[in-house]
Amino acid sequence: SYELTQPPSVSVSPGQTARITCSGDALPKQYAYWYQQKPGQAPVLVIYKDSERPSGIPERFSGSSSGTTVTLTISGVQAEDEADYYCQSADSSGTPAVFGGGTQLTVL
Amino acid sequence: EVQLVESGGGLVQPGRSLRLSCAASGFTFDDYAMHWVRQAPGKGLEWVSGISWNSGSIGYADSVKGRFTISRDNAKNSLYLQMNSLRAEDTALYYCAKESVAGGFDYWGQGTLVTVSS
């Protein structure tokens, strides 16, 4: 089955830039989406279609794509950004949604 | 304001059935595809099933295919998940999620917990 691979954890100091990657063979042909999930809360969409930001999401969140890897970048990380982040995409065989394993972002 | 409210979770024995519901409000329900996504305790997100606006297209994860059935009632602004032959590994928080026109899931409920245990 199709897999999206994320690093289990990323740590950054406040004000620094955090980059979270997601790799998958179908990513050159399928859009990626990113979700933020804080403890005890439902996920929140922070990036759609690789690099678009929904209204209400701070500008410090951005997304990019290169080949089989997509990247969520959080510039000027704040303490409130500490959360789990999941990428999501579709595979080439029709499964509409596959999630990466998630990345725990720690703000030191 | 978009609201998705799940219900129907609980403790159930292995092999038994459970039906989840999701009540939607704040948007034109029959314009959008809807999905169920689950999260086992301490684990990541797993897509379970999705249904198009008119129920014409339905999909399931391999892990639930043949056991779970998704449906919707547009007149009642409601989404359902019939879960049969439940297993311990189905234990999770089940989220109802609205699909965005741009893809992805732009609104989520707070989830309903399903625990499968004897």
Side-chain angles (χ1 to χ4, degrees):
Chain A
S1 61
Y2 184 56
E3 291 186 353
L4 294 172
T5 302
Q6 299 181 234
S9 62
V10 168
S11 300
V12 294
S13 300
Q16 298 297 310
T17 296
R19 294 181 179 85
I20 300 173
T21 59
C22 173
S23 299
D25 289 342
L27 288 175
K29 298 182 179 180
Q30 300 287 349
Y31 284 121
Y33 304 82
W34 289 95
Y35 303 87
Q36 176 194 67
Q37 186 181 33
K38 296 181 178 179
Q41 298 184 19
V44 173
L45 180 68
V46 295
I47 293 290
Y48 67 96
K49 292 176 72 174
D50 291 347
S51 60
E52 300 295 322
R53 193 174 52 250
S55 60
I57 300 302
E59 291 184 8
R60 63 180 181 274
F61 288 86
S62 63
S64 61
S65 176
S66 179
T68 59
T69 299
V70 293
T71 302
L72 172 68
T73 300
I74 311 172
S75 304
V77 167
Q78 301 181 6
E80 67 196 49
D81 299 330
E82 188 164 280
D84 293 328
Y85 290 85
Y86 296 90
C87 63
Q88 176 249 312
S89 187
D91 70 11
S92 54
S93 63
T95 302
V98 176
F99 287 94
T103 298
Q104 184 176 53
L105 175 66
T106 299
V107 182
L108 301 171
Chain B
E1 177 194 7
V2 172
Q3 283 198 315
L4 298 171
V5 180
E6 304 92 337
S7 60
L11 174 62
V12 61
Q13 293 179 329
R16 303 298 292 266
S17 299
L18 210 56
R19 189 194 195 206
L20 306 184
S21 299
C22 171
S25 61
F27 65 103
T28 305
F29 183 71
D30 52 13
D31 277 351
Y32 295 93
M34 297 292 296
H35 299 260
W36 290 98
V37 177
R38 70 185 180 183
Q39 187 169 34
K43 302 296 184 181
L45 301 172
E46 180 189 16
W47 176 79
V48 173
S49 182
I51 185 169
S52 63
W53 66 276
N54 65 350
S55 304
S57 179
I58 287 175
Y60 300 97
D62 288 343
S63 58
V64 306
K65 200 171 294 183
R67 300 187 298 122
F68 289 10
T69 302
I70 192 172
S71 62
R72 64 190 295 163
D73 185 337
N74 287 342
K76 295 183 177 179
N77 288 349
S78 293
L79 176 71
Y80 306 102
L81 187 68
Q82 177 67 42
M83 304 186 296
N84 298 333
S85 303
L86 282 162
R87 306 167 180 169
E89 53 265 37
D90 296 319
T91 293
L93 186 63
Y94 284 74
Y95 292 104
C96 165
K98 170 185 169 290
E99 184 177 321
S100 163
V101 290
F105 309 124
D106 56 354
Y107 290 95
W108 300 63
Q110 286 304 305
T112 186
L113 182 63
V114 173
T115 303
V116 183
S117 174
S118 54

